[in-house]
Amino acid sequence: MQQVKKGDKVKVHYHGRLNNGDTFDKSEGREPLEFEVGSGMVIKGFDDGVTGMAVGEKKTVNIPFDQAYGPRNPDMMIEMPKDRFPKDMEIEVGMPLGMSDGHGQQFQVVIAEIKDDVVLLDANHPLAGQDLVFDLELVEIVTKPLIIIP
């Protein structure tokens, strides 16, 4: 039976959970996730988890944060003066915002804390510092059609 190896294009159904059991993402009700193994399209632990699986196989993988989204980085906490926010904007802790770095790069931040004169923004990935658990089901190893050249 064919097993997944680096360079294979695969289709996988998954259910991603935190260690406390909270779901953060799943493919249920959608098309399976399609990606090339080893290409960097998914986190390392997910790539490693599907490697060696056969079509129809199901398994659960535990991915430590360093093979997922890495540790939380204190340098990704940004203090923004309150007067830089629109006057009529109601800011709340936990509110997601989009920002631009001045070079056209857009990224997501979350309001972590509101102080007297500044708002503390967290630009870490929401899953940074978290160990993850994925229930995986390998749906297909996508094979390239053979082409006959006369």
Side-chain angles (χ1 to χ4, degrees):
M1 182 161 254
Q2 184 181 5
Q3 293 182 312
V4 174
K5 63 189 177 317
K6 185 176 179 176
D8 284 343
K9 187 174 275 193
V10 297
K11 292 184 180 183
V12 178
H13 273 301
Y14 65 91
H15 180 174
R17 298 176 278 123
L18 302 176
N19 278 339
N20 67 7
D22 289 350
T23 297
F24 61 84
D25 194 14
K26 60 184 174 179
S27 64
E28 183 181 325
R30 303 187 312 229
E31 290 294 314
L33 174 65
E34 184 173 337
F35 66 98
E36 182 181 325
V37 177
S39 68
M41 294 172 70
V42 296
I43 58 175
K44 182 181 181 332
F46 198 100
D47 251 345
D48 293 347
V50 300
T51 301
M53 289 182 74
V55 173
E57 185 177 347
K58 295 179 181 183
K59 75 177 185 181
T60 299
V61 294
N62 294 291
I63 303 174
F65 69 86
D66 61 332
Q67 293 181 16
Y69 294 96
R72 293 193 54 75
N73 181 348
D75 293 337
M76 300 292 285
M77 301 300 287
I78 305 163
E79 283 195 352
M80 183 68 66
K82 248 188 192 173
D83 62 11
R84 301 273 310 269
F85 290 84
K87 299 278 185 243
D88 60 343
M89 182 177 185
E90 289 189 37
I91 54 175
E92 298 176 9
V93 171
M95 176 186 286
L97 301 169
M99 288 189 70
S100 174
D101 66 3
H103 299 288
Q105 283 289 95
Q106 302 233 342
F107 57 98
Q108 178 107 6
V109 297
V110 173
I111 296 177
E113 187 178 346
I114 301 170
K115 299 179 181 181
D116 289 337
D117 295 332
V118 296
V119 176
L120 188 61
L121 304 173
D122 186 351
N124 282 286
H125 188 283
L127 295 173
Q130 299 276 352
D131 295 331
L132 308 178
V133 179
F134 280 96
D135 298 318
L136 304 173
E137 178 184 2
L138 183 64
V139 176
E140 181 181 354
I141 299 174
V142 182
T143 56
K144 297 174 182 141
L146 295 175
I147 300 171
I148 299 173
I149 302 171

